Amino acid sequence: MTDTLTHGVALTEVAQAKVKSLIAAEGRDDLRLRIAVQPGGCSGLIYQLYFDEAIAENDAVREYDGVEVVVDMMSVPYLDGASIDFEDTIQKQGFTIDNPNAQGSCACGDSFN
């Protein structure tokens, strides 16, 4: 058995609860939250946040109270120290990412550099 790689992405308690409820709504227990950084967007890089059933050999995995957060090795340096939260207010509903590695972002908040 090999050691599982880990990453420095945090998942707040509010985000943990939301991920658990979304997975429960899917009726599956084999899903985990994957976050990745891809080229694109107005500032050069965009976040990808989605459920995934697979874990690749060199993925970094960290568990938060039963919720697995998976990051591919290419994205790990861009996301180290980042925190995922969930907002549910009159102005905004959705996951937010606070990333200390982002030097700037665009107005939409979905893209960074």
Side-chain angles (χ1 to χ4, degrees):
M1 173 142 181
T2 60
D3 291 332
T4 303
L5 302 170
T6 190
H7 57 75
V9 177
L11 189 65
T12 68
E13 288 183 16
V14 174
Q16 289 172 33
K18 186 61 177 180
V19 170
K20 282 182 181 181
S21 72
L22 290 171
I23 289 174
E26 290 289 324
R28 297 176 58 180
D29 60 3
D30 64 336
L31 297 177
R32 55 207 41 92
L33 182 66
R34 180 177 288 276
I35 180 169
V37 173
Q38 301 289 327
C42 9
S43 293
L45 298 170
I46 57 172
Y47 298 112
Q48 297 286 315
L49 199 62
Y50 57 96
F51 291 123
D52 198 350
E53 59 191 36
I55 297 179
E57 184 178 325
N58 56 351
D59 280 342
V61 181
R62 193 165 166 192
E63 185 178 330
Y64 295 93
D65 192 29
V67 175
E68 287 181 315
V69 177
V70 181
V71 180
D72 65 88
M73 287 309 297
M74 295 296 290
S75 299
V76 167
Y78 295 104
L79 296 169
D80 190 40
S83 177
I84 302 172
D85 196 7
F86 184 80
E87 288 185 37
D88 191 0
T89 66
I90 196 165
Q91 294 179 318
K92 182 175 185 177
Q93 182 180 27
F95 289 97
T96 60
I97 301 169
D98 180 18
N99 188 351
N101 302 304
Q103 296 174 353
S105 63
C106 62
C108 69
D110 294 332
S111 179
F112 72 101
N113 61 17

